[in-house]
Amino acid sequence: METVSTVSFPSAETGNRTRPPFQFPRSSFVYARESVVKVILLLCALVSVFTTLGIVVVLSVQAYEFFQEVPIWDFLTDTQWTPLFSDQHFGILPLLTGTLLTSFIALLVSVPLGLIIAVFLSEYAAAPVRKTVKPFLEVLAGIPTIVYGYFALITVTPLLQHFFPTLSGFNALSPGIVMGIMILPLVTSLSEDALRSVPSGLREGGYALGASKLQVSLSIVFPSAFSGIIASIILALSRAVGETMIVAIAAGQLPQITLNPMNPVATMTTYIVSVSQGDTPHGTLAYNTIFAVAIALFIFTFILNIISFRIRKKFLAVGGD
Amino acid sequence: MYKVETRDVNLFYGNTHALKNVTMGILEYQVVAMIGPSGCGKSTYLRLFNRMNDMIDGVRIEGEVLLSGKDIYNGGTRVEEIRKKVGMVFQKPNPFPKTIFENVAYGLRINGISNKKFIEETVERSLKQAALWDEVKDELKKSALALSGGQQQRLCIARALAVEPSVILMDEPASALDPISSAKIEELIWELKKKYTIIIVTHNMQQAARVSDKTAFFYLGELIEFNDTKELFMNPKHERTQNYITGRFG
């Protein structure tokens, strides 16, 4: 038994004695290069981590200084935002309602339209149609927001004034609508992905029971992709909340608590723009407001992103099988 | 008269000739098994009867497919109507992401039936017919996705039964299941044949031998042999059939 095994399979020891073990040429150099590459890759990855941390730290420190002078309670509950006036008020609510109003209008435009387009592309459109329509939609996402801003101010607002003569030159409605068009590709594209990832077996199951295409799309595919669709909407909302240029140009930069879309409003982002571009001296309380607003905005979008991320993860867990 | 019948059916996917002059008739309350190597056209043939092939781009069908003597492709009947008469169970259990109850009720709801009592009765009857009622009667509001694979497959059978079809197509209904669940499905087929005509595609020849009255052997899109199951397995007329059932190819 032993002789047989040594004859047919020489042990490693015997093999080493008869011929030297195989050596990879310049192996130490290869190993060194490997580890250098590893470190470089790690550093690249860390850039994004440190950038995020840096932003959070800078915002927090500056905002801390601000909140030393303005109580956080006033910041959250005061109904006026007048840091640049002699009678200073630091209530975030007007900026918050402005942000919510324009974002809400954007969602009113982009969600129904985006979902209809997504269902059409995923369930109805033939391949050539989808291949033509999708690039056009994605072009929408590539248009600079400043172009959208002027489009809102110069084209959409006058158009809307035909229908609503009381609409002021600067208002929440027009930039809201244009912002809705801007985030349309986001809603469409992510929702379409969610719809298309619904296993085709479910569709077949519906058709086999005699369901029509519309019934299958609405009562099987759509609910199956629901969490993915919700995630896309939240992501689009967080994009709208953070959008700056369109509202800065067309919304009027007037901080007031209003739910009337005909009125001019200021959003959190537009306030930051106006102060950082204006002649407010650095280091003053008025200047530090932008950090307080920024961190509020940061927390707001951060929470939206986390919710969206959670839902998407859940959706992947369900839709993956 | 045959319950379902095909006359000289040819089917093409683009340039691929997937079914060649298939003529076959199936009597009511029979279980017919379709066997043959992968790609032989048996699943494609099965899907003729509820027109599921229609959804594939570039498919072309010639010949006649008859359900209770009526041509289902040219008879002017809407495809949705045909699918209500011809139920289907798929290889992979495909319950909808809804509750157990709603899965079975789905076929009724899409037909605009909203009578609560009628729906409840139908759901119960269908689940009983599919031998699933005792296992799920206390958790009808639970998600169907929480069921085991075998239970899901019986749920899909119950879902198909709820719209009261007369023919049930089964495309390898037990191939994704463990042996015990698989045996339950086979038992169920025995029960269902009292009221339904069943056509089943299977890769498992023992299964075909156990559950079916007649067996059809397909090879490269042709119907090679169609006979009583016993006869086909014990005494195949064609060499190809014999080679296949004895495991010499395929």
Side-chain angles (χ1 to χ4, degrees):
Chain A
M1 183 75 180
E2 255 187 350
T3 30
V4 172
S5 73
T6 35
V7 168
S8 50
F9 309 104
S11 70
E13 224 179 305
T14 335
N16 272 346
R17 220 178 295 141
T18 47
R19 59 192 132 105
F22 177 73
Q23 271 228 307
F24 199 86
R26 296 185 301 157
S27 74
S28 58
F29 171 69
V30 171
Y31 282 126
R33 195 172 59 183
E34 276 291 305
S35 41
V36 168
V37 167
K38 235 185 210 172
V39 169
I40 292 174
L41 292 180
L42 179 67
L43 287 177
C44 292
L46 286 179
V47 167
S48 63
V49 176
F50 284 125
T51 312
T52 312
L53 284 180
I55 290 171
V56 173
V57 168
V58 169
L59 283 183
S60 308
V61 169
Q62 304 275 2
Y64 178 75
E65 275 178 36
F66 172 79
F67 286 118
Q68 293 294 91
E69 292 181 53
V70 178
I72 200 156
W73 183 249
D74 290 358
F75 181 71
L76 293 177
T77 56
D78 199 325
T79 54
Q80 286 184 64
W81 181 259
T82 54
L84 308 180
F85 297 176
S86 51
D87 174 28
Q88 283 186 321
H89 283 277
F90 301 97
I92 189 82
L93 284 177
L95 298 182
L96 192 64
T97 52
T99 300
L100 288 177
L101 183 60
T102 51
S103 302
F104 182 69
I105 294 167
L107 286 188
L108 276 187
V109 172
S110 64
V111 170
L113 199 56
L115 293 186
I116 289 169
I117 296 173
V119 169
F120 169 71
L121 287 179
S122 142
E123 305 300 310
Y124 283 83
V129 177
R130 190 171 59 238
K131 280 182 187 142
T132 322
V133 173
K134 271 205 103 168
F136 274 99
L137 263 174
E138 270 145 28
V139 163
L140 282 181
I143 295 175
T145 52
I146 183 89
V147 176
Y148 276 120
Y150 277 102
F151 179 64
L153 183 67
I154 297 172
T155 311
V156 178
T157 299
L159 192 71
L160 289 172
Q161 278 169 332
H162 274 290
F163 302 100
F164 310 107
T166 56
L167 190 72
S168 47
F170 292 109
N171 58 75
L173 184 61
S174 156
I177 291 171
V178 173
M179 213 150 69
I181 294 166
M182 182 197 73
I183 60 177
L184 187 61
L186 204 61
V187 177
T188 307
S189 163
L190 291 176
S191 299
E192 195 216 338
D193 287 347
L195 291 169
R196 281 167 72 87
S197 70
V198 172
S200 60
L202 287 183
R203 293 185 182 85
E204 284 195 325
Y207 289 128
L209 288 168
S212 67
K213 194 153 204 164
L214 187 66
Q215 286 170 329
V216 169
S217 305
L218 295 185
S219 67
I220 297 174
V221 180
F222 197 86
S224 305
F226 192 65
S227 46
I229 289 167
I230 292 291
S232 82
I233 292 171
I234 293 176
L235 217 57
L237 174 62
S238 105
R239 180 77 182 77
V241 166
E243 170 51 32
T244 310
M245 221 19 113
I246 299 174
V247 270
I249 292 172
Q253 309 206 4
L254 181 67
Q256 57 171 332
I257 296 183
T258 174
L259 291 178
N260 183 354
M262 306 290 180
N263 292 337
V265 294
T267 67
M268 302 206 256
T269 50
T270 57
Y271 173 75
I272 296 173
V273 170
S274 66
V275 170
S276 48
Q277 284 182 335
D279 48 8
T280 317
H282 285 223
T284 59
L285 184 62
Y287 189 79
N288 277 345
T289 52
I290 66 172
F291 296 104
V293 174
I295 203 154
L297 187 63
F298 181 83
I299 291 170
F300 194 4
T301 53
F302 188 67
I303 290 172
L304 287 178
N305 282 343
I306 285 180
I307 294 172
S308 157
F309 179 74
R310 283 273 167 86
I311 295 175
R312 272 162 74 91
K313 217 168 72 176
K314 193 178 139 220
F315 155 73
L316 286 176
V318 176
D321 186 12
Chain B
M1 190 182 75
Y2 291 121
K3 181 67 187 172
V4 290
E5 187 181 357
T6 57
R7 291 181 189 157
D8 288 317
V9 164
N10 282 285
L11 184 143
F12 305 85
Y13 294 125
N15 292 325
T16 316
H17 197 170
L19 288 175
K20 297 169 187 164
N21 290 313
V22 182
T23 300
M24 186 158 105
I26 294 169
L27 292 168
E28 197 161 26
Y29 307 128
Q30 270 192 337
V31 179
V32 175
M34 310 270 164
I35 60 169
S38 299
C40 69
K42 57 190 188 303
S43 283
T44 304
Y45 184 74
L46 186 78
R47 285 162 179 251
L48 280 175
F49 296 112
N50 63 346
R51 298 188 52 172
M52 288 296 266
N53 290 322
D54 294 18
M55 287 186 278
I56 301 161
D57 286 337
V59 81
R60 187 157 54 85
I61 299 162
E62 293 167 1
E64 287 176 88
V65 183
L66 308 175
L67 172 69
S68 308
K70 270 186 81 182
D71 191 328
I72 60 172
Y73 282 82
N74 303 306
T77 321
R78 282 175 61 238
V79 61
E80 286 84 4
E81 292 303 316
I82 290 156
R83 289 181 184 148
K84 278 162 204 163
K85 293 181 193 148
V86 183
M88 186 163 186
V89 177
F90 297 82
Q91 179 177 6
K92 206 178 158 217
N94 57 352
F96 305 134
K98 302 174 186 288
T99 64
I100 293 168
F101 185 91
E102 284 304 321
N103 260 277
V104 184
Y106 184 80
L108 302 173
R109 296 212 194 277
I110 57 170
N111 285 316
I113 294 170
S114 55
N115 182 331
K116 209 174 158 214
K117 190 151 173 280
F118 178 75
I119 291 177
E120 279 171 5
E121 282 167 4
T122 309
V123 168
E124 180 173 342
R125 177 176 48 77
S126 308
L127 284 169
K128 278 179 176 160
Q129 276 183 297
L132 189 61
W133 175 253
D134 291 335
E135 291 162 58
V136 302
K137 61 172 183 251
D138 298 323
E139 40 187 35
L140 294 174
K141 295 269 175 285
K142 264 196 178 173
S143 167
L145 301 177
L147 297 173
S148 74
Q151 289 175 323
Q152 288 188 357
Q153 193 62 303
R154 277 178 283 145
L155 180 69
C156 292
I157 293 174
R159 186 173 74 187
L161 297 178
V163 286
E164 302 195 23
S166 53
V167 179
I168 301 173
L169 311 173
M170 297 188 169
D171 194 351
E172 300 185 42
S175 68
L177 306 179
D178 63 87
I180 293 170
S181 307
S182 180
K184 277 190 185 154
I185 301 282
E186 286 181 21
E187 268 172 50
L188 190 54
I189 293 172
W190 270 107
E191 275 304 307
L192 293 176
K193 68 172 278 193
K194 291 174 191 160
K195 293 180 70 179
Y196 304 92
T197 306
I198 298 172
I199 312 175
I200 175 171
V201 165
T202 178
H203 270 295
N204 181 335
M205 276 176 279
Q206 284 79 26
Q207 187 176 64
R210 280 193 298 265
V211 302
S212 68
D213 302 305
K214 295 188 99 178
T215 298
F217 172 64
F218 281 80
Y219 184 70
L220 294 178
E222 282 180 78
L223 175 63
I224 305 289
E225 192 166 347
F226 178 46
N227 212 335
D228 288 344
T229 297
K230 218 173 194 175
E231 190 66 15
L232 187 129
F233 279 101
M234 304 298 279
N235 191 14
K237 299 276 183 299
H238 290 257
E239 209 190 327
R240 281 196 201 287
T241 318
Q242 186 173 5
N243 287 346
Y244 183 71
I245 62 178
T246 52
R248 244 170 277 170
F249 80 96

